[in-house]
Amino acid sequence: MANLSDIADLSMLEAMDKEQLIIILKDMIEGNAKQLKDLEIVKDEILADTEKCNEILAKLGVR
């Protein structure tokens, strides 16, 4: 299946079947939503790790 990054210019979009384009766009939206959710999880994990590191530093008298 193609994605928008494979489409070189607007004429390629205009030449695509409307139903095919709808499927591609819906798939992209779904994929982007999943990536954002995954990134949010990673962000939360990094923040938790940073907090733990800061707590350890504080116990060591560095912070």
Side-chain angles (χ1 to χ4, degrees), residues 1-30:
M1 178 179 290
N3 63 46
L4 288 183
S5 62
D6 296 334
I7 297 171
D9 58 41
L10 187 57
S11 65
M12 290 178 74
L13 281 176
E14 292 168 344
M16 290 181 78
D17 175 64
K18 181 179 177 181
E19 293 303 316
Q20 180 186 13
L21 183 57
I22 289 169
I23 291 168
I24 291 170
L25 292 174
K26 285 183 176 182
D27 286 349
M28 286 184 62
I29 291 168
E30 188 175 303

Side-chain angles (χ1 to χ4, degrees), residues 15-52:
M16 290 181 78
D17 175 64
K18 181 179 177 181
E19 293 303 316
Q20 180 186 13
L21 183 57
I22 289 169
I23 291 168
I24 291 170
L25 292 174
K26 285 183 176 182
D27 286 349
M28 286 184 62
I29 291 168
E30 188 175 303
N32 288 347
K34 184 186 180 318
Q35 284 184 319
L36 286 171
K37 183 178 178 183
D38 292 345
L39 286 172
E40 190 66 33
I41 291 168
V42 171
K43 180 186 107 183
D44 291 344
E45 291 171 353
I46 291 170
L47 288 172
D49 286 349
T50 300
E51 185 177 333
K52 286 179 186 176

